[in-house]
Each structure stands twice: as C-alpha cells, then as structure tokens.
Amino acid sequence: MPDLTETEADMTGVPAPAAAKPSVEAIGDRKLKASTMMMGHGYDPSLSEGALKPPIFLTSTFVFPNAAAGKRHFEGVTGKRPGGADGLVYSRFNGPNQEILEDRLGIWEEAEDALAFSSGMSAIATLFLSMVKPGDTIVHSGPLYAATETLIARILGRFGVHWLDFPAGATREEIDAVLRRAASGNVAMIYLESPANPTNALVDIQAVAASRDAIFTGETKPPIAIDNTFLGPLWLQPLKHGADIVVYSLTKYAGGHSDLVAGGVLGSKAHIDTIRSMRNTIGTICDPNTAWMLLRSLETLELRMSRAGENAAKVCAFLRRHPKIERVGYLGFLEDSPGMERQADIYRRHCTGAGSTFSLLVNGGEKEAFAFLDALKIAKLAVSLGGTETLASHPAAMTHLSVPDARKQALGITDNLVRISIGVEDADDLIADFDQALAAI
Ligand SMILES: *Cc1c(COP(=O)(O)O)cnc(C)c1O
C-alpha cells in the first residue's frame, strides 16, 4: 500500500499517516521465498486495528486529507506528474486489497510491478488496447485461448489491426520468417501462449526473444507478452527467458478453487504504467472481495500446485500403460517420446515442472470418450483447470466446438481427445476413478 513519504507530506502540508511497517523481505543475507512472503507482504496489521488478515475495503472512493493532496493525487493519476497515484483515490483505479494482491503477485516471478483484473480476458483486452493502434500488426503463436483469438482477429480486426501467427512449436527459422514478414509494418506486440491448449505444444520463448532482437532495433522493437496461465508461476517463469509481459487468468491455478474469476499482468514498471492508465480509463480492475480471495489463494499456491503436479505424474504414469489409452499428451513424457526431441529441448530449457493439465486420447472416437467421461465418479465433467478438484472435458464437443473441422484436424483436436486437469485429491483415489471409468468403455 502506498504511503506519503515525508517529502510528499511536506509538499501537501499534511503530516504523513502512520508509516506502514515495511514487509520483511530478507533475514540477514537470506532472501525470503515467495511462498513465505505470501503470508504478510504488503500488509501492516497496525494500520487495520491489528487485524491479522486485511479487511475487505468495500468503498467506492477515498477521503483526501485536504484539497492540495487531492490535486496531487489527480496529477499522478492523469500523468501530469510522473510516478502515478501515490495514494488511494477512487475504486475504479485502485484499492487496498487489490494493491496488496499486486504486491504479492509480482513476487513469484520477480516482476517489477503487477496489475489485477476482473478476468483473464479483461487483462488481455486491456493489454491490447493499451499497446495497439490501427494499422499495427500483432504477431502471435497459435493456437491461442479461443477468446483471445476472437479478440485479435474479429474485434481488433474491426479497428484495422492486422495479425500474423506461427505455430506454437515453431523453430527459430520459422519464427524469423514470420517476424521478417511482419516487420514491413509496425509490429505492436508479439503475443505468445505456452503450452498451447489443447495441444500442449510449448513455445520457444528464448528463440522468439533472440529473433525479435535480431530483426527489430530501438523504437520499433515490440514487447513480448505471454499467457502463462497453464504453467505459471511455479513451473514456467517467462520473464527469465526473454518475455517482457506475463498475462494470467487468475481464475485457474492462482485462484485455484474454481470459485472466482480474475486476471493479472506482470512486467516492468514502464509497461505496467502504460497498461494501468488504460485500466484506470476503462475500469477492468478486479473487485476487493475477489482480491481478498486471491490473497487467501496465494498463501497455498505452492502447496496446491506441487501436490497437483505430483498427482498428475502418478496418474499419467498409470494412464500411459493402460490398454484402452492411445496416448497421453503430458509434458512430463516429452523426454522419452520419439519425434518430440525439439519440444523436449524447449521443455528442458524453460520449464521446472510438467503441470497438472494434459490430454488423453482413448482408443476409439467420441462414443468411447463420452462413455469414459460419463463413468467418472471423482473427476467432475467441466471446462476450466487449475482447481483443487480434478476436472475432465471434451474439447472437440465443448471448448473447441466452433473451430472449423480442418483447423481442428491441424491442431490434433480429435474426437477421442479428453482434457484433464488434476487436482489435489489423493492420487490413488484418482487412479481408481480413471481405472473404473476406462473399464466402462
Ligand atoms: C481461462 C483462460 C483465459 C481466460 O481467462 P478468464 O479468467 O476466463 O477470463 C485466458 N487464457 C488461458 C490460457 C486460459 O486458460
């Protein structure tokens, strides 16, 4: 939470409020881990009646100590004075719960700054609106989350924005070719999503960054943004591999309990300031209650994701050997999958874990896949991912139903493909459930 510094207090003629106790970030030389900092960073109980947990601040506006302070706030918010708002003004711009959340979100990836949004899509839309103008080109990896593809092609397209894409698994040469073509115009942004859904193809972020740096210089160099919803922040940290901006649907692993919808964006202060001023204008910030729920979620993020990852490894090892399974599309199997050497190489260089979301190809087609899905007793039949509970869905008939058949084929979205997100249940219970459901085919 921002507080007036002494000099700022001098300028406004008001005494600074009781200074927030700085959060503990290190003990001696030991820099604290993100999982430790999730319990208290950015919140001082002494400013809220000693409450161990932050209250939920349900207010639409904040009282200025005097008129000069109000003027100073607005100079910051409107950009007349650099540095942004240095206090709370109005709840479309910021609020205490959201600011604590943003402080903690950035820690996992050592981002300079972070922003919270009302959904993953509102985060992505605000990012695009803040950086793209008519005539610009967005270069992106494909496939993207369906709503993101719609936003780029059908909505931004209406405003004269162009796009070019390369397949998620593209080589450096293929990426170079697309970026060179795009470089004849103004490339506003390179937008990635890794692993791609539902193919699980990984994008070589390091190669994209090297290609961007070789082809563009100075002012024309576009930022690289990436949707890290599937593996972040535990198993993939794109800022360390050349990305500039990381986008999240916090609805998934970060929220983690399938009980909220929210989004996040992380990056350098300069990029985040640009995106923040768009968010201030259009009001895509998340509400205080959701921010509070996310603070609770972040306390167990590492526990939940670690357990889900361990469970997925056990479940996939079982499924892979099952006679009714054609193939398991799990990142943990790339290392010993013939023909997947390039993907395995990207995995080794970028990821620290295989996640808990994967594809399962049962022998047969839609009939067999549906029989399996309908027989599941623990796993729930629902779209989405990253929750405490295991979910299963059928992309061809559900999330990707509207994708044209030819594109479905190209992406490998077959009728026997089932999408699974493993939760934090007991792994052997999950194996028993998948075993009995496969027997029902
Ligand atoms: C769910 C999801 C989104 C959209 O997020 P919402 O919170 O539903 O708006 C974007 N990208 C990916 C990869 C997702 O899984």
Side-chain angles (χ1 to χ4, degrees):
M1 291 165 69
D3 284 284
L4 294 173
T5 63
E6 268 178 47
T7 37
E8 284 158 352
D10 290 347
M11 288 170 63
T12 52
V14 231
K21 233 197 263 159
S23 307
V24 179
E25 295 181 23
I27 293 187
D29 290 342
R30 185 182 169 77
K31 193 169 171 298
L32 300 183
K33 293 280 170 26
S35 53
T36 304
M37 293 184 63
M38 288 308 108
M39 307 321 158
H41 183 70
Y43 172 64
D44 178 358
S46 73
L47 297 181
S48 294
E49 312 273 353
L52 175 68
K53 294 297 184 197
I56 301 175
F57 289 85
L58 292 176
T59 183
S60 62
T61 193
F62 298 85
V63 178
F64 302 127
N66 58 31
K71 180 179 178 190
R72 188 176 157 72
H73 281 315
F74 271 90
E75 285 169 349
V77 169
T78 55
K80 283 205 162 169
R81 180 179 52 78
D86 53 19
L88 300 164
V89 177
Y90 181 63
S91 294
R92 197 179 76 234
F93 307 147
N94 54 5
N97 299 102
Q98 294 94 325
E99 291 197 337
I100 301 167
L101 170 63
E102 289 165 355
D103 284 350
R104 291 189 196 173
L105 264 184
I107 286 176
W108 292 92
E109 304 186 43
E110 296 178 23
E112 256 178 48
D113 208 349
L115 291 171
F117 290 87
S118 57
S119 71
M121 283 318 302
S122 75
I124 295 166
T126 308
L127 167 70
F128 287 154
L129 287 177
S130 68
M131 299 204 170
V132 174
K133 62 181 189 319
D136 283 353
T137 301
I138 296 173
V139 176
H140 70 82
S141 63
L144 297 176
Y145 185 73
T148 310
E149 289 209 2
T150 302
L151 184 61
I152 293 174
R154 297 212 212 131
I155 300 176
L156 293 179
R158 287 205 319 251
F159 299 95
V161 174
H162 311 291
W163 55 270
L164 271 179
D165 65 344
F166 56 82
T171 61
R172 169 73 195 270
E173 291 68 33
E174 290 165 334
I175 298 163
D176 279 350
V178 174
L179 284 185
R180 276 209 197 89
R181 246 180 81 202
S184 60
N186 185 50
V187 178
M189 187 187 304
I190 300 172
Y191 185 87
L192 314 174
E193 187 174 316
S194 181
N197 178 24
T199 58
N200 262 13
L202 292 168
V203 177
D204 192 338
I205 306 165
Q206 295 168 1
V208 172
S211 177
R212 187 264 318 257
D213 292 345
I215 293 169
F216 299 88
T217 49
E219 282 285 281
T220 68
K221 199 182 267 200
I224 298 170
I226 178 167
D227 184 331
N228 198 32
T229 299
F230 275 78
L231 290 178
L234 222 55
W235 300 307
L236 175 61
Q237 304 207 332
L239 297 177
K240 299 190 168 69
H241 301 286
D244 303 295
I245 298 163
V246 176
V247 176
Y248 279 102
S249 168
L250 301 176
T251 312
K252 315 296 167 54
Y253 286 98
H257 297 71
S258 307
D259 56 6
L260 62 85
V261 172
V265 175
L266 279 57
S268 69
K269 189 146 186 5
H271 283 130
I272 293 295
D273 281 345
T274 303
I275 305 162
R276 181 187 286 108
S277 73
M278 179 57 71
R279 188 188 69 173
N280 284 350
T281 303
I282 63 178
T284 41
I285 191 169
C286 78
D287 66 276
N289 191 68
T290 301
W292 189 94
M293 299 213 338
L294 278 162
L295 289 175
R296 166 177 281 204
S297 293
L298 289 181
E299 293 183 8
T300 57
L301 179 94
E302 189 175 271
L303 277 177
R304 286 183 288 102
M305 290 185 80
S306 303
R307 170 66 171 253
E310 288 162 20
N311 279 356
K314 290 179 189 164
V315 167
C316 287
F318 162 80
L319 291 170
R320 190 187 211 187
R321 290 191 306 269
H322 198 284
K324 288 188 180 170
I325 298 292
E326 182 186 307
R327 198 168 68 77
V328 182
Y330 169 61
L331 294 176
F333 293 157
L334 284 174
E335 293 288 355
D336 48 2
S337 299
M340 300 299 276
E341 292 76 15
R342 259 197 49 76
Q343 281 284 300
D345 172 52
I346 299 174
Y347 179 74
R348 231 174 287 130
R349 284 185 284 114
H350 291 76
C351 305
T352 53
S356 81
T357 303
F358 58 90
S359 310
L360 193 61
L361 282 82
V362 299
N363 290 330
E366 186 185 273
K367 182 163 156 282
E368 287 75 14
F370 277 21
F372 168 72
L373 288 169
D374 288 342
L376 288 168
K377 293 185 164 142
I378 297 173
K380 300 283 189 297
L381 192 47
V383 298
S384 196
L385 62 126
T388 46
E389 63 288 289
T390 295
L391 299 181
S393 66
H394 190 274
M398 298 172 189
T399 45
H400 294 68
L401 183 67
S402 62
V403 176
D405 284 345
R407 184 150 163 81
K408 262 191 205 158
Q409 197 146 21
L411 294 174
I413 306 173
T414 49
D415 287 336
N416 66 337
L417 185 147
V418 170
R419 194 76 173 145
I420 310 272
S421 165
I422 295 288
V424 302
E425 302 94 337
D426 179 85
D428 292 326
D429 285 349
L430 291 175
I431 289 172
D433 192 26
F434 287 124
D435 197 24
Q436 66 81 27
L438 286 166
I441 298 181

